[in-house]
Amino acid sequence: MILKLSRPNPAVLAALEDLGCRARVLTFPFGTFVVALGLDPSALAAFQAMDGVAWARTAGSRPILAAREQCPEGTRVPLGAIEVGGETLSLMAGPCSVEDREQILTTARYVAAYGANALRGGAYKPRTSPYAFQGLGQAGVELLREAGDAAELPVVTEVMEPGDVAAMTPFVDCFQIGARNMSCAPLLRAVGRSGRPVLLKRGPSATLAEFVLAAEYILLEGNAQVILCERGIRTFETATRNTLDLNAIPVLKSMTHLPVVVDPSHGTGLREAVIPMARAAVAAGADGIVVEVHPDPSRAKSDGDQSLHLPEFRRLVEELRPVAAAMGRRLDLPDALPFGGTQIPLIRRAMGWGGSR
Amino acid sequence: MILKLSRPNPAVLAALEDLGCRARVLTFPFGTFVVALGLDPSALAAFQAMDGVAWARTAGSRPILAAREQCPEGTRVPLGAIEVGGETLSLMAGPCSVEDREQILTTARYVAAYGANALRGGAYKPRTSPYAFQGLGQAGVELLREAGDAAELPVVTEVMEPGDVAAMTPFVDCFQIGARNMSCAPLLRAVGRSGRPVLLKRGPSATLAEFVLAAEYILLEGNAQVILCERGIRTFETATRNTLDLNAIPVLKSMTHLPVVVDPSHGTGLREAVIPMARAAVAAGADGIVVEVHPDPSRAKSDGDQSLHLPEFRRLVEELRPVAAAMGRRLDLPDALPFGGTQIPLIRRAMGWGGSR
Amino acid sequence: MILKLSRPNPAVLAALEDLGCRARVLTFPFGTFVVALGLDPSALAAFQAMDGVAWARTAGSRPILAAREQCPEGTRVPLGAIEVGGETLSLMAGPCSVEDREQILTTARYVAAYGANALRGGAYKPRTSPYAFQGLGQAGVELLREAGDAAELPVVTEVMEPGDVAAMTPFVDCFQIGARNMSCAPLLRAVGRSGRPVLLKRGPSATLAEFVLAAEYILLEGNAQVILCERGIRTFETATRNTLDLNAIPVLKSMTHLPVVVDPSHGTGLREAVIPMARAAVAAGADGIVVEVHPDPSRAKSDGDQSLHLPEFRRLVEELRPVAAAMGRRLDLPDALPFGGTQIPLIRRAMGWGGSR
Amino acid sequence: MILKLSRPNPAVLAALEDLGCRARVLTFPFGTFVVALGLDPSALAAFQAMDGVAWARTAGSRPILAAREQCPEGTRVPLGAIEVGGETLSLMAGPCSVEDREQILTTARYVAAYGANALRGGAYKPRTSPYAFQGLGQAGVELLREAGDAAELPVVTEVMEPGDVAAMTPFVDCFQIGARNMSCAPLLRAVGRSGRPVLLKRGPSATLAEFVLAAEYILLEGNAQVILCERGIRTFETATRNTLDLNAIPVLKSMTHLPVVVDPSHGTGLREAVIPMARAAVAAGADGIVVEVHPDPSRAKSDGDQSLHLPEFRRLVEELRPVAAAMGRRLDLPDALPFGGTQIPLIRRAMGWGGSR
């Protein structure tokens, strides 16, 4: 059972305690809730009638706290200088993996100069093959922090197991839950309790309903600073690494009040498709873009094929600007950007062949 | 074997005839080609060396005529007042099915007034259930023609079997091949020979490589007026009817010179998601939008849930305009459109629930 | 509206005629039905009450004639010496394409000697690429007939367009509707009217409900001799050409009374996986197996990778026999089969690599 | 770099140490290997030439230790009275969740009496909704142990986070990695180090190549007691909860030496389909079956729709016996089983409707 309080009433908690129920009170900008799981549904009516109780609901298979109706105006998640979900577009950029100090510092300074408002980079890397680069671990987290500080950007990085949350928390502005771990309840609970914002990536075979339910795990720990990230789903199509599902944007916006950003790097797997799909995401109503950028993608230890070169990031921002304006969104950029230089060709490789079976 | 001619040389055809090969000459705006299938590959070198032969290639598993390299500047397909693939955005609008004279005339006049440049409507309807409305058939084709004439719009309608092409041709400006028939070779050949432009919809489980190969069937009949239409693929997601795959736009643009339009109605199945996804499609670089519009979607005989009400079509155009401008595309609209009236709420139904398994 | 008659009553048809409804009477082994589409549902009650009417139902989105409840004991489709759906397992074998007289005769005689009870082979070939071998057409149909006669086997071949049905009918014992055409209504109606049994293959992205609705189109033409064929669906998995969905067998058996056979050749795309999956299909309750066999798969003009060598067909039968016995099914074999000869190795190629993205 | 040793040679490890490489020696029944990751590939040749080195290989994107060629005869994993992968079929049965002492004891005794050779049951439950039953946790692990002891069956249960492995190890005979966690590297490493056999379930959107790579993570910790479990993949089909991919059996058998079992409960989601698909799995060559059984599925706290009633488990064994015999496999059963009693109807619910979109 979940109750929404319209005003504090200690009798509510006392009544729950009398029933032997260990209730928790969650306070969000959009209201105060009491979570009392395991209670017999027959108790509902009595609580519903209590003073200070706006409503009481039986928990079922749908999200309650993350549902749009709890916060029709939409949640904004503060991250560095902006609020994700606010008027300014969120632009999280950086390499797939933190590889060394120079790589991450160079990238951080470049993307900060051209409009990024958060720095992303992986230190703990979930890899399909145990022989692939597994990331620098905690050392990588600390390098990322250093680069974020140098470029004055908040940092976002993935956490892969609950046991790592405590050591990472002092260095991290926003925890990322990777697509493979979207439905890993212990991890969702751990980042929920961290007090940090969470960038939650959609699992490659998760429905949108399941995606919002994963966010609900985090909210149930009292943390509503959850940013949902569409990053492509796995389908039969092999021309692209994943199928970026932009339908997710309007549908999620109707399901939940949480902000929605899009990762066109994983969503396509093709550098040449990243900028068009970033534009499309903004036009569909996304609150921001998460994008992989690397000083030398050909030498990247992971995901080089989908990482933008540094000047391509500048071009991305250049191309996003008019689309953002059309959508009434802002991109906060330094005044004197040297835009309009050399034209960067978008399509350099033939994409898509090899895909008939 | 396919040869590209740099200039006419009767000796080429004579040599093919000597080899017992029934060659066909295809003339496109982007070149003249000789198609000589069934020839032994060893003959290639001799033809390659002939005067007037730009190149000769063995036909394999990839498209030749539809490949981007044949026409790097992109093909434009004339349709009514515009060229699909040109600067003006293609806007094909109309009901899923032609139901009666009033319905199609009302819709035609409305969408024409608000910027549509083609009228779409189904007369032969491919339906999953034999008990569902199967369309008005040839009578529907003729009603569509009448409505197109009244609104001064070219008409697009689906053909389902080769045997119907002849009777439909006098009434139709552009044949549609539906998603279920994308790989139906006899039908592709028949519309290829019709001389009419073809709107080819991607099959719900077709890879992009297979999609372009289907177009190649049409080009091989000498018809390069093919418009590719992304309309959503079938995936595990159940919140939307299909998963609109906008990755298809940049990838197809690198694979083929044919114009690419997007159908957000079938691609989402949800009226509320149509406008955001139409904006996204244009931002991703689509050459146009195909959209279902109905005077009273709640009474539509097919696809009511995804059909826009008439005023929503106006709103679609209103919202597309700034995104098109950001992309350097035009929407040709009457001067005195009464835009900016009552705000039409976008999200009226909760979308997406019921999708966890 | 569909009515089931318990006994003839001319008044029923007369009443329908009075209402201006062009009703059709369909007679099946499992009952006589009147199909009266387009009638107002309010008429139902009156007909329900008429003498000789067992029940009357409004047609909706579910099959009526193909539904299990119409024939709980299951339909048997006579084909050559056996009934598909009966005690003897159906074994349809032959090359993907009819290529020449020797190839089809050799194959026909071999598979007949080792237990096949139908000969399959493609003459009209649906191919992804227009440059791939498109089949011998009507000449191939006639060669197949000749081989079937020589080997005393009924023949099964695919028809791709309604206009070909008439010319093919005299030569064909069973029409195949290929996977790509599963939902092509004009074709379904045409084979329905042919009076021949129909092997209906499941579309690569068709749900089971849609599959049975496709069969309903055929039954509505008065033809209940429909054999459903599971042949693999398209999924994200790339180790196999398709994902053979054997769940389809028990589910279809609960949905419909039509017999169900399985094609492990297309369902796997891998010769080495054909025999294990054929065994699995029989153990799951399939009524038969459709399998590709070729005298020299390495030179096959289509689908060589998934075609069994002739001795592998013998091995298939050898391995199916005990599983069929475990299921209470028979394989009718000549008495003096030279079984137990050289062991044929099953796995000769490494399968499955290259499938991580 | 991975080296296989043909005989011990301390110089190999010394040479690696000289290169600053922290090598690990892994000893399996099928050979002794040295894992030396991070080494420059140029060092390979020198090691290849050393005495006692059978071969040296650069680690790439394919499994090495789990590859079939390392152990062509196949790995057998001892579990209780049998070896999974041996002649006797593995039959792991039990409820989805351990709910209370009586439920798990009743089930354990019943399935043991009718031929199960391992008891499965969830204590830590990964659930889509945070409001769904999350399992009894460590208390559930201990109840499962008690029931396993009472019924003389080894126990298999899921572990969800690395931090739980230590506390669970004393109570558990085999750790299960659930489908959602298949690619969770920290968890794979943790169970790898536990020394216990591991039942590794295929992720719902994992390719077979990715599945074997997940197993490689476990082997790299020195633990080759890995049992692979096919449990259905997520596809567009909605008639079944998942699509059980039995193609996986022959393909995995050619890729890896690890035993393969099948879970038809999750693979179908439909109680009525469990027995046919279990038969099919055995006929396809599976080494065993994992199946959900509950004393009262209608009151199960999770997965009731797919759980067998107790007598249905008896029927499962009864129906598996002849198929196992046809495959040359054994089911070890008590002598005096009261088989052949009341016929249990298989299909009681109509399955599959609702699946057209």
Side-chain angles (χ1 to χ4, degrees), chain C residues 11-332:
Chain C
V12 173
L13 293 177
L16 285 165
E17 205 170 310
D18 285 352
L19 291 169
C21 176
R22 217 173 38 144
R24 281 176 302 135
V25 179
L26 307 178
T27 306
F28 299 119
F30 50 84
T32 299
F33 300 83
V34 178
V35 179
L37 301 181
L39 216 60
D40 194 280
S42 65
L44 198 74
F47 283 96
Q48 195 118 35
M50 286 183 81
D51 204 37
V53 173
W55 48 252
R57 288 197 201 151
T58 314
S61 61
R62 287 196 185 183
I64 295 178
L65 302 173
R68 184 84 204 175
E69 65 200 78
Q70 301 306 344
C71 182
E73 69 280 16
T75 280
R76 296 177 174 214
V77 178
L79 188 62
I82 70 153
E83 287 183 326
V84 183
E87 193 189 342
T88 299
L89 223 52
S90 166
L91 257 184
M92 306 181 187
C96 175
S97 300
V98 177
E99 297 171 5
D100 57 54
R101 174 175 283 108
E102 193 192 326
Q103 173 241 22
I104 189 65
L105 273 170
T106 304
T107 309
R109 286 181 176 130
Y110 190 95
V111 301
Y114 285 97
N117 40 44
L119 177 65
R120 56 141 292 150
Y124 291 97
K125 298 296 306 168
R127 302 304 298 274
T128 301
S129 169
Y131 302 118
F133 176 60
Q134 308 279 314
L136 299 181
Q138 184 69 15
V141 173
E142 298 178 17
L143 282 177
L144 183 70
R145 173 78 275 158
E146 182 186 337
D149 289 346
E152 297 181 49
L153 292 177
V155 302
V156 184
T157 198
E158 178 164 355
V159 58
M160 282 174 67
E161 51 176 316
D164 291 337
V165 169
M168 292 172 74
T169 300
F171 299 93
V172 167
D173 297 296
C174 176
F175 279 112
Q176 176 180 313
I177 301 293
R180 300 167 203 227
N181 286 321
M182 183 204 85
S183 54
C184 182
L187 194 56
L188 296 170
R189 291 195 190 102
V191 296
R193 287 189 295 263
S194 76
R196 289 277 184 276
V198 178
L199 179 69
L200 178 63
K201 293 195 131 189
R202 181 182 182 186
S205 64
T207 64
L208 295 174
E210 292 165 348
F211 190 17
V212 182
L213 281 164
E216 186 86 354
Y217 270 101
I218 301 172
L219 271 75
L220 275 169
E221 301 300 323
N223 185 348
Q225 297 183 76
V226 181
I227 304 160
L228 302 176
C229 180
E230 160 63 31
R231 48 71 76 197
I233 57 175
R234 183 162 268 198
T235 70
F236 63 83
E237 177 61 74
T238 52
T240 46
R241 184 179 180 185
N242 289 292
T243 296
L244 190 66
D245 176 13
L246 295 186
N247 281 349
I249 302 170
V251 176
L252 285 173
K253 289 281 177 185
S254 89
M255 294 168 88
T256 178
H257 52 84
L258 300 170
V260 179
V261 300
V262 169
D263 171 355
S265 304
H266 288 86
T268 65
L270 298 164
R271 181 182 309 124
E272 292 80 357
V274 167
I275 295 178
M277 296 312 287
R279 290 191 315 248
V282 170
D287 294 303
I289 298 295
V290 181
V291 68
E292 290 185 348
V293 181
H294 195 285
D296 185 354
S298 68
R299 309 179 82 121
K301 292 194 174 171
S302 55
D303 287 356
D305 280 356
Q306 70 196 34
S307 295
L308 297 183
H309 293 92
L310 299 181
E312 289 171 323
F313 178 73
R314 190 191 74 183
R315 183 176 171 128
L316 166 71
V317 175
E318 193 171 21
E319 296 207 7
L320 279 185
R321 209 147 42 161
V323 178
M327 294 295 297
R329 306 297 283 255
R330 295 197 319 175
L331 270 175
D332 289 330

Side-chain angles (χ1 to χ4, degrees), chain A residues 10 14 18 28 66 69 77 84 99 126 138-139 162 179 212-213 225 238 243 246 265-266 276 304 336 340 344 347:
Chain A
D18 285 353
F28 299 119
E69 66 199 77
V77 178
V84 183
E99 296 171 6
Q138 184 68 15
V212 183
L213 281 164
Q225 298 181 75
T238 52
T243 297
L246 296 185
S265 305
H266 287 86
I344 299 152
I347 306 288

